C-alpha cells in the first residue's frame, strides 16, 4: 500500500473522521467554477477528492478535473464507473469489485481491463469492496445489482467479511447518487464491529445531522457529491459535521 492509503489510515488511526468530495467530470463545469468549488471544500476541511461518474465521463474530462483538483494539494482518487474514468493525473484509484452485482463484467472483467492501465498510469490501487444498497438509482441500474435487504445488516457483514478475507482494505456502502435514502446506519455499525476495513459511506446524505449519524454509527469516511453541486454552503456544513460530530 502506498502514500494515499497511509494518508487515509493515518488520519483514522489518530481518531479522525474523513470527508471525501465527489466530482463528476461529466457534469457541465468551467475551470473557474471547479477551482472555486475545490477551494471551498478544501478550506472547509474535506480530506480528498473523488472523480467519477457512472455514465459519459471521458478520460480527457477526468484528466482535466484531476488537474484542477490537485492544485488544492489534497489527494485525488478515481472512483470509477468504468475504465473510461481512469487518468494518470490522479493519485490513486478505488480498485473496486461491485460485490452484489449480477453482471460478471463488474465482478472481474472490468478489473482485468483496468489493471494494465492502472499499472501504466502509476495509480495507487486502493482495494475496495463496493456494495450498492438500493435498486432505484443509476448506479444500481448500470451495475445490475442485487439490492440489500435494509433490515438485514448481517448480509452486508457477510459481504464485508468475504472482502476482507480476499484482501480488500476498504468497503464502500453506497446508497446511490441522488438517492432519497441514506445507507441504514446499522450497516456501517456492523461492518466496523466485526471487520478492520476502512468503511466508506456515500449517497443520500443531505444534512449535517445525517452525516453525524453515519460517523457515529461507524463510518470512517463520508462521501458527498450531489449536495456539493446543488448547495455548496450546505456541503460545507456537512464537512464540518463530519469533522466535529458532537
Amino acid at each position: 500500500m502506498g502514500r494515499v492509503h497511509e494518508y487515509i489510515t493515518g488520519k483514522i488511526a489518530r481518531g479522525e473522521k474523513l470527508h471525501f468530495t465527489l466530482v463528476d467530470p461529466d457534469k457541465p463545469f468551467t475551470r473557474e467554477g471547479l477551482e472555486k468549488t475545490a477551494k471551498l471544500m478544501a478550506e472547509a476541511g474535506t480530506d480528498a477528492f473523488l472523480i467519477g461518474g457512472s455514465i459519459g465521463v471521458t478520460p480527457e474530462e477526468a484528466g482535466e478535473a484531476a488537474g484542477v483538483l490537485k492544485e488544492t494539494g489534497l489527494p485525488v482518487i478515481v472512483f470509477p464507473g468504468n475504465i473510461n474514468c481512469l487518468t494518470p493525473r490522479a493519485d490513486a484509484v478505488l480498485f473496486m469489485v461491485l460485490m452484489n452485482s449480477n453482471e460478471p463484467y463488474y465482478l472481474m472483467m472490468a478489473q482485468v481491463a483496468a489493471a494494465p492501465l492502472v499499472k501504466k498510469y502509476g495509480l495507487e490501487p486502493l482495494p475496495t469492496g463496493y456494495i450498492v444498497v438500493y435498486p432505484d438509482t443509476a448506479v444500481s441500474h448500470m451495475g445490475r445489482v442485487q439490492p440489500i435487504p435494509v433490515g438485514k445488516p448481517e448480509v452486508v457483514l457477510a459481504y464485508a467479511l468475504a472482502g476482507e478475507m480476499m484482501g480488500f482494505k476498504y468497503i464502500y456502502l453506497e446508497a446511490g447518487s441522488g438517492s432519497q435514502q441514506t445507507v441504514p446506519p446499522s450497516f456501517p455499525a456492523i461492518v466496523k464491529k466485526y471487520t478492520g476495513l476502512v468503511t466508506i459511506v456515500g449517497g443520500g446524505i443531505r444534512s449535517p445531522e445525517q452525516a453525524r449519524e453515519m460517523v457515529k454509527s461507524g463510518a470512517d469516511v463520508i462521501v458527498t457529491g450531489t449536495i456539493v453541486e446543488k448547495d455548496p454552503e450546505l456541503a460545507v456544513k456537512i464537512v464540518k459535521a463530519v469533522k466535529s460530530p458532537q
Side-chain angles (χ1 to χ4, degrees), residues 30-242:
T30 63
R31 181 181 181 89
E32 182 181 2
L34 186 57
E35 287 175 345
K36 182 179 178 180
T37 297
K39 184 174 185 291
L40 177 71
M41 298 307 292
E43 290 177 348
T46 198
D47 297 281
F49 289 96
L50 300 180
I51 55 172
S54 57
I55 302 174
V57 178
T58 68
E60 292 77 17
E61 289 170 334
E64 183 180 357
V68 172
L69 296 171
K70 287 188 75 169
E71 292 175 2
T72 65
L74 295 173
V76 176
I77 304 167
V78 177
F79 176 33
N82 211 322
I83 62 174
N84 54 299
C85 296
L86 295 173
T87 171
R89 300 183 73 180
D91 299 297
V93 57
L94 295 180
F95 202 79
M96 303 189 307
V97 172
L98 180 47
M99 299 185 76
N100 60 324
S101 175
N102 293 316
E103 172 55 62
Y105 178 78
Y106 292 109
L107 294 173
M108 182 50 62
M109 294 312 300
Q111 295 79 8
V112 171
L117 291 174
V118 170
K119 185 76 171 178
K120 183 176 183 178
Y121 292 167
L123 296 171
E124 178 184 337
L126 305 176
T128 304
Y130 187 47
I131 301 173
V132 177
V133 176
Y134 300 115
D136 57 345
T137 60
V139 65
S140 177
H141 176 77
M142 297 299 293
R144 300 184 185 179
V145 304
Q146 183 70 29
I148 305 295
V150 295
K152 297 290 183 180
E154 63 270 22
V155 174
V156 163
L157 176 61
Y159 277 108
L161 287 169
E164 188 172 47
M165 291 173 187
M166 287 189 288
F168 295 168
K169 302 300 181 185
Y170 298 79
I171 197 82
Y172 194 136
L173 306 177
E174 173 73 273
S177 177
S179 174
Q180 299 303 305
Q181 307 173 76
T182 65
V183 167
S186 60
F187 286 11
I190 199 168
V191 170
K192 286 308 295 182
K193 183 175 181 180
Y194 293 107
T195 80
L197 295 168
V198 175
T199 303
I200 306 171
V201 176
I205 299 171
R206 294 184 172 84
S207 71
E209 292 74 23
Q210 289 173 323
R212 288 190 194 99
E213 182 178 31
M214 286 300 157
V215 297
K216 289 181 178 179
S217 296
D220 297 304
V221 182
I222 297 296
V223 177
T224 55
T226 302
I227 198 67
V228 177
E229 301 166 13
K230 293 185 175 181
D231 191 338
E233 291 185 7
L234 181 56
V236 167
K237 293 178 181 178
I238 290 174
V239 175
K240 294 185 181 302
V242 171

